[in-house]
Amino acid sequence: MPTITWLELLILGLASFRFTRLIVKDLIMEWLRKPFIKTKVELNDKGEQEQWLEPTGWIGEGLSCHWCVGVWSAGIMIFLYIFVPFGSLLVLLLAVAGLQSLLFGGSDRYL
């Protein structure tokens, strides 16, 4: 079994975070989620329309759950990092994007 350093663990964690967010939340992957999620529209007590997304079936539940996608994402990142030639470059790219995402979110809140 390969040994993973703390730095590699941080890189894999950031890459997994970014890949998970890409699948669960980002607009660019809406095409993947759309067949498994339906939009519900109802009137609230004030007579205003409220809209939310509701997953359908176990695939929809899985694609909308960051805990579920996170486990698969972590597995994919580890596989890419250890077994795929040049897979570590993709992992590093996602890790840098994940760090950037965290910094950007923090800057929006605190700066």
Side-chain angles (χ1 to χ4, degrees):
M1 181 169 174
T3 303
I4 294 178
T5 67
W6 285 105
L7 179 60
E8 290 170 318
L9 182 63
L10 177 65
I11 290 169
L12 287 165
L14 286 168
S16 180
F17 159 74
R18 186 63 194 106
F19 191 59
T20 299
R21 182 162 177 92
L22 185 70
I23 292 172
V24 175
K25 297 259 187 213
D26 288 352
L27 186 61
I28 196 169
M29 294 300 282
E30 186 177 359
W31 63 269
L32 177 67
R33 297 184 304 269
K34 193 171 186 165
F36 308 105
I37 295 178
K38 63 182 175 179
T39 303
K40 284 209 134 183
V41 179
E42 290 187 5
L43 295 176
N44 64 16
D45 295 339
K46 297 177 184 176
E48 301 166 334
Q49 284 189 347
E50 289 184 348
Q51 178 177 317
W52 69 90
L53 301 176
E54 187 173 290
T56 57
W58 63 273
I59 295 176
E61 291 287 338
L63 288 175
S64 63
C65 170
H66 68 275
W67 299 107
C68 303
V69 174
V71 171
W72 289 101
S73 174
I76 290 168
M77 292 305 111
I78 291 168
F79 180 81
L80 285 172
Y81 190 75
I82 293 174
F83 297 110
V84 175
F86 302 106
S88 59
L89 293 176
L90 178 59
V91 170
L92 184 59
L93 174 72
L94 287 167
V96 171
L99 180 59
Q100 177 275 331
S101 178
L102 292 172
L103 292 172
F104 185 79
S107 71
D108 268 357
R109 180 174 286 178
Y110 299 110
L111 296 178

